[in-house]
Amino acid sequence: MKRDSTVLKYLTHLLEKNLSSSSLRVHLAAIVAYTRGETCRSFFTSQVVKRFLEGAKRIAPPKRVPPPAWNLNIVLTELIKEPFEPLHKVSLKMLTMKTAFLVAITSLRRVSELQALTLQELYIQIHNDRVVMSTDPHSMPKVVSKFHMNQSIQIPSFFQKPTTSAERALHTLDARRAVMHYIERTKGHRKTKQFFVSFANSFMGKAVTKKTIARWIAQTIQLCHKRAGQELAEGTRAHSTRKKGATIAFLANTPIEDICLAATWASVHTFTKHYCVDIQMNKEAQVGQKVLQHIFNNQRSSSTQPPQR
């Protein structure tokens, strides 16, 4: 009982610091993990602690992040123009930002997984229609399980052999093309096998953090909206590309099991609970193609609509 009292005082302190109820459970789990003895196992089953956690949930209920405010149509439309094209002439900064965004939106992966991508010979395969990349074997995924470990990431091609001007324009959204340009441009100065490296003069070629990659993606979204003359609410997050990409792939009739496989979700419940943003409720490499194909179809449809009088 004395142990419960000590733990409750600590949890109360955290609650007063405005930590969420889920964060309290994480702290409690850490206490259980690092405290020896049989009695510590009763913390989660203790009626007093359970009542406290239920009360904490009412005081600080879980907050659901609202749907991302940015528009994928706007971002993709701007990515086919300057300063993101032509790729062989753009700055390394613009090439890096465009590559990071296209890899994120077509792979549906977390920023931590993008950071863990490696150019080690055994972990990258270059095909005519895609690039298959894997994370560094020493990196730890967010969820440590057999399913989540060493998952490959499919980087798809898009309008690989364009025949019209519209297709040639949309070919600039080819994620495989961006990756190949990025590998070539960074080859001379990279100091690590990590795929994404810094373009800053003082850190040129060095490995970057998850926070840096997330900032690149968010900056790409913000810059595209600014160039399109659209007001963009603050707080854009790189993780929202997972929500956008997964939802649009679903709307484009991509099988949900393929979406879950591409995004490394072991259960469809994760998608329907957290990532099915705009609706109520092929293969892994085709998920990215479905995202871009949906945008192409919308643009082509709108361009053929007769002007309103």
Side-chain angles (χ1 to χ4, degrees):
M1 201 64 190
K2 185 177 179 180
R3 282 176 175 267
D4 287 356
S5 177
T6 303
V7 169
L8 287 175
K9 287 181 180 179
Y10 177 65
L11 294 178
T12 301
H13 169 73
L14 296 178
L15 187 61
E16 291 173 347
K17 294 291 185 180
N18 296 321
L19 267 70
S20 66
S21 58
S22 58
S23 295
L24 298 185
R25 291 181 176 275
V26 172
H27 280 263
L28 186 58
I31 293 173
V32 172
Y34 289 97
T35 304
R36 303 296 180 182
E38 291 295 322
T39 55
C40 68
R41 296 180 182 178
S42 66
F43 287 149
F44 275 109
T45 58
S46 166
Q47 291 301 316
V48 175
V49 175
K50 287 173 68 174
R51 285 199 298 270
F52 178 88
L53 291 175
E54 286 299 320
K57 186 184 293 186
R58 293 178 179 276
I59 295 173
K63 296 179 181 178
R64 186 170 184 176
V65 179
W70 57 276
N71 188 305
L72 182 57
N73 279 329
I74 290 176
V75 176
L76 294 178
T77 298
E78 293 301 317
L79 285 178
I80 69 178
K81 308 173 184 176
E82 295 182 345
F84 298 103
E85 286 292 335
L87 284 188
H88 66 279
K89 292 183 178 180
V90 302
S91 68
L92 181 57
K93 177 180 178 179
M94 291 296 106
L95 172 60
T96 300
M97 290 170 60
K98 178 171 182 173
T99 302
F101 179 84
L102 288 178
V103 171
I105 197 69
T106 57
S107 69
L108 312 184
R109 296 308 177 92
R110 299 180 180 89
V111 172
S112 59
E113 293 172 279
L114 302 187
Q115 187 218 14
L117 291 177
T118 178
L119 290 181
Q120 296 179 60
E121 188 174 350
L122 294 176
Y123 298 95
I124 180 170
Q125 303 171 34
I126 300 175
H127 303 276
N128 290 333
D129 60 342
R130 69 194 186 281
V131 175
V132 183
M133 303 183 72
S134 298
T135 55
D136 187 287
H138 299 101
S139 66
M140 296 294 287
K142 180 181 179 181
V143 180
V144 182
S145 69
K146 185 177 180 181
F147 174 79
H148 292 90
M149 292 294 292
N150 299 322
Q151 284 268 1
S152 62
I153 294 179
Q154 305 278 346
I155 312 298
S157 182
F158 188 59
F159 282 98
Q160 189 177 12
K161 297 179 180 180
T163 57
T164 66
S165 58
E167 290 181 357
R168 281 190 287 273
L170 290 164
H171 177 60
T172 62
L173 297 176
D174 188 331
R176 179 191 180 279
R177 168 178 173 266
V179 165
M180 298 306 296
H181 272 273
Y182 184 74
I183 292 174
E184 184 63 28
R185 286 280 293 275
T186 57
K187 183 168 56 177
H189 58 256
R190 67 169 49 249
K191 299 176 177 62
T192 175
K193 286 294 186 179
Q194 180 179 310
F195 177 66
F196 284 112
V197 294
S198 177
F199 52 76
N201 291 332
S202 54
F203 299 98
M204 183 71 72
K206 294 183 178 180
V208 293
T209 64
K210 294 180 292 184
K211 186 176 180 180
T212 296
I213 297 175
R215 186 176 69 250
W216 290 343
I217 296 171
Q219 287 177 342
T220 303
I221 296 170
Q222 292 163 354
L223 177 59
C224 288
H225 279 76
K226 181 179 180 180
R227 293 185 65 83
Q230 298 288 335
E231 194 70 29
L232 184 62
E234 295 183 1
T236 303
R237 300 180 62 187
H239 194 70
S240 60
T241 56
R242 250 164 95 80
K243 298 180 181 182
K244 283 284 190 182
T247 300
I248 289 179
F250 182 79
L251 290 172
N253 297 320
T254 303
I256 194 167
E257 60 270 21
D258 293 343
I259 297 174
C260 291
L261 178 61
T264 63
W265 293 321
S267 169
V268 297
H269 298 301
T270 304
F271 171 67
T272 56
K273 182 178 180 181
H274 298 290
Y275 294 94
C276 197
V277 181
D278 299 319
I279 52 178
Q280 292 299 318
M281 72 130 278
N282 39 130
K283 300 298 180 182
E284 186 178 356
Q286 293 176 331
V287 173
Q289 294 172 326
K290 290 281 188 178
V291 173
L292 301 178
Q293 185 68 54
H294 179 78
I295 303 302
F296 169 70
N297 290 338
N298 280 354
Q299 291 182 335
R300 184 169 58 181
S301 176
S302 61
S303 65
T304 58
Q305 292 288 336
Q308 297 182 353
R309 295 182 178 179

